[in-house]
Amino acid sequence: MTRLPDPARRSLLQVGSLVLLLGPHHIARGASVLAVRIWPADDYTRVTIESDAQLVSRSSFVDNPPRLAVDIEGLDLLPGLRDLVAQLRSDDPNIGGIRVAQFAPNVVRLVIDLKQAMQPEVFSLPPVAAYQHRLVLDLRPVNPPDPLEQLIAQRMRDLDDASARAARLLGLETQGSGVTVTPERAGRPDPLGELIARQESSGGAARGTPPARTEPPVAAAPVPPVSRPAAPSAKARERARTERLIVIALDPGHGGEDPGAIGPGGTHEKKVVLQIAHKLRDRINATTVNGNPMRAFMTRDADFFVPLQVRVAKAQRVQADLFISLHADAFYSPRPQGASIYALSTRGASSAAARWMADKENAADLVGGINVRARDATVQRALLDMSTTAQINDSLKLGNSMLGEVKRVGKLHKPRVEQANFAVLRAPDIPSVLVETAFISNPDEEKRLNDPKYQNDLADALMRGIVRYFEANPPLARNRQI
């Protein structure tokens, strides 16, 4: 990738008067464009051009205003096809516009106007699964969203919603006041608020320049002097040390270019597991265990692809207490049925089926598509870290607690927690399980996965399992004390 000097920038802006819109049926010399797709998300936006032969491209990037130009060789445009631009959404957080022109004979120039500073990646993917050759443009913000900041933002939105509901009940007018006061903010300790304060005072420097605040902090009311209370008992001190926010990372599998398994009726795994994850998230956010409030963090909350190692890194960034990856099973035959729960094993799989399942899930990056050359070497090494025995034992405890509840709402494929070397379960410090909610390849279970009642029942069962686990295994104190 090269950055253009000023004269080249002017040339880029004068790309000719013939501006045509690229669609999936353009004819290429030596190749046919089969499909074009755009996957927008706050994390990054992906543009994919799929063809029946490998496309040769050159890319250049202009800083101000930010835009990416990609010259694709061997293509001649046909007018009147607008699929790529038609797919561009006005609320795309990263792309402001798309232009395509016949830049030279047999060369098409694709220009993408960007909404913010970007670190674009342009790479090719060989045929895999249902896809043929893909030219991929990943548009990643220079300052990407921080998972911890996202968790904080979610918490603040919840508090604002609670404030609005309280105001409506009390008949108070809060619009335009600029100050939101809720019983939770005013009178009760906020463990996530304490985590925010610690992040701002110590964590920001380690990560580089912290994101700008959108509003000034609200000063705490002065506390009047009071007489010193009697010293708390040993039991009270112990409780004060261990009560704190519990963060649970929910990981809806697949997404974006990777649909996951596809049922006989056309249901995509990535869609139903995201729906179930949203339902489970709402239950987690409304639950307290032994005085410990809970908060869910989702590795993806929309339809976009997240590489396996990034899912693990996000969970570690928010210091998650648990990691729960949600999937829907599939097999060559429609007969298998029932839910399964898996934990990590570093010494071989507990069964041939578990090994096959791990191999299938670990191949998600091949289907979703990652730029292997650009992967950070440190991240690659981190993926190879072996989880501790304690983490695996805790994962088995969590899996057994959840399995005992899941069997109440449907069939189990296996009556015990299976184990295999799943890449997404390798966080060495977080108890992690992978839940196969049902066999989407079974027509009856595909219907159940699309049924809101079953999704709610399954989310309830998983929530009960989480609560059972924490009742028997209180969270470690760490640094999120109340």
Side-chain angles (χ1 to χ4, degrees):
M1 173 121 14
T2 58
R3 295 183 180 271
L4 298 179
D6 288 339
R9 296 183 183 187
R10 289 193 293 271
S11 174
L12 176 62
L13 295 174
Q14 300 169 354
V15 156
S17 58
L18 181 60
V19 177
L20 302 175
L21 306 179
L22 179 64
H25 306 298
H26 285 112
I27 304 302
R29 295 188 178 182
S32 295
V33 176
L34 305 176
V36 290
R37 296 178 289 274
I38 302 178
W39 305 101
D42 288 336
D43 288 35
Y44 73 106
T45 293
R46 167 169 290 191
V47 178
T48 305
I49 302 173
E50 186 178 1
S51 60
D52 62 358
Q54 183 173 356
L55 297 176
V56 178
S57 66
R58 295 189 305 274
S59 60
S60 55
F61 182 69
V62 175
D63 285 310
N64 188 23
R67 58 195 179 276
L68 173 69
V70 181
D71 293 337
I72 307 173
E73 298 180 3
L75 285 179
D76 284 334
L77 290 175
L78 296 176
L81 302 174
R82 306 175 178 271
D83 282 11
L84 186 61
V85 173
Q87 289 185 35
L88 178 62
R89 292 167 24 184
S90 61
D91 62 349
D92 188 306
N94 302 307
I95 297 180
I98 298 177
R99 293 167 284 144
V100 181
Q102 192 75 50
F103 180 65
N106 305 329
V107 178
V108 168
R109 171 163 286 184
L110 172 64
V111 179
I112 301 179
D113 299 313
L114 303 170
K115 292 183 176 179
Q116 56 181 310
M118 290 283 171
Q119 292 177 326
E121 296 179 5
V122 180
F123 57 96
S124 297
L125 295 171
V128 63
Y131 292 123
Q132 297 196 39
H133 294 272
R134 287 176 288 173
L135 178 64
V136 177
L137 288 63
D138 279 352
L139 308 171
R140 300 183 182 277
V142 170
N143 298 308
D146 182 273
L148 187 58
E149 298 289 342
Q150 292 175 319
L151 184 65
I152 292 168
Q154 180 193 79
R155 175 64 167 167
M156 299 309 295
R157 285 194 298 269
D158 291 346
L159 290 175
D160 290 342
D161 291 344
S163 175
R165 287 194 299 270
R168 287 194 297 269
L169 289 173
L170 297 173
L172 300 178
E173 181 62 47
T174 59
Q175 298 252 349
S177 67
V179 177
T180 299
V181 179
T182 70
E184 183 169 4
R185 282 183 177 175
R188 293 207 302 260
D190 181 3
L192 187 52
E194 296 178 7
L195 179 60
I196 295 169
R198 279 191 295 274
Q199 271 311 118
E200 291 172 347
S201 63
S202 62
R207 298 194 312 271
T209 303
R213 296 183 63 89
T214 57
E215 61 180 21
V218 178
V223 180
V226 294
S227 59
R228 182 180 297 275
S233 65
K235 183 176 181 180
R237 288 196 301 270
E238 178 63 24
R239 183 176 179 181
R241 278 201 303 272
T242 58
E243 284 185 349
R244 58 135 174 103
L245 186 75
I246 297 173
V247 177
I248 299 177
L250 297 181
D251 175 48
H254 309 283
E257 287 282 289
D258 177 16
I262 301 176
T267 302
H268 286 190
E269 176 184 359
K270 67 175 182 178
K271 175 184 176 182
V272 292
V273 297
L274 182 60
Q275 292 170 343
I276 294 170
H278 280 144
K279 296 177 186 296
L280 182 55
R281 176 198 62 190
D282 295 341
R283 286 155 173 79
I284 290 171
N285 290 348
T287 300
T288 299
V289 180
N290 296 331
N292 295 294
M294 306 178 80
R295 181 64 39 182
F297 171 79
M298 296 181 63
T299 59
R300 72 172 181 96
D301 58 2
D303 187 12
F304 65 100
F305 173 70
V306 183
L308 296 176
Q309 86 276 4
V310 175
R311 297 170 187 263
V312 176
K314 284 186 172 186
Q316 292 177 312
R317 176 72 183 107
V318 299
Q319 301 177 44
D321 295 281
L322 298 179
F323 180 91
I324 300 172
S325 190
L326 298 171
H327 294 259
D329 221 334
F331 198 65
Y332 303 112
S333 164
R335 288 177 296 176
Q337 58 184 320
S340 305
I341 296 181
Y342 296 87
L344 181 68
S345 170
T346 59
R347 299 182 179 179
S350 57
S351 68
R355 184 184 305 109
W356 179 85
M357 183 59 60
D359 291 342
K360 181 172 73 74
E361 298 296 354
N362 290 348
D365 281 355
L366 297 177
V367 179
I370 60 173
N371 186 4
V372 176
R373 289 177 299 177
R375 290 177 65 184
D376 186 86
T378 302
V379 174
Q380 291 189 19
R381 288 194 298 271
L383 267 182
L384 300 177
D385 286 346
M386 292 296 97
S387 296
T388 65
T389 300
Q391 186 264 23
I392 294 176
N393 288 340
D394 286 339
S395 300
L396 291 171
K397 292 175 184 177
L398 172 63
N400 282 316
S401 295
M402 299 173 77
L403 202 64
E405 297 296 336
V406 170
K407 69 180 181 183
R408 299 163 119 189
V409 301
K411 294 181 178 179
L412 295 180
H413 183 63
K414 293 284 187 179
R416 64 184 181 278
V417 179
E418 293 279 290
Q419 290 182 261
N421 194 10
F422 289 88
V424 81
L425 302 182
R426 293 178 188 167
D429 52 347
I430 306 173
S432 306
V433 295
L434 185 145
V435 179
E436 295 285 359
T437 55
F439 271 87
I440 200 171
S441 53
N442 181 298
D444 292 335
E445 295 207 334
E446 180 186 19
K447 292 177 183 177
R448 296 185 73 195
L449 285 170
N450 283 299
D451 182 0
K453 181 181 183 304
Y454 176 73
Q455 292 182 358
N456 283 318
D457 290 345
L458 182 60
D460 287 337
L462 295 175
M463 187 71 247
R464 290 194 300 269
I466 293 169
V467 171
R468 279 184 56 191
Y469 170 80
F470 279 118
E471 287 176 341
N473 306 273
L476 298 175
R478 287 193 182 177
N479 60 351
R480 285 197 294 269
Q481 303 166 4
I482 292 178

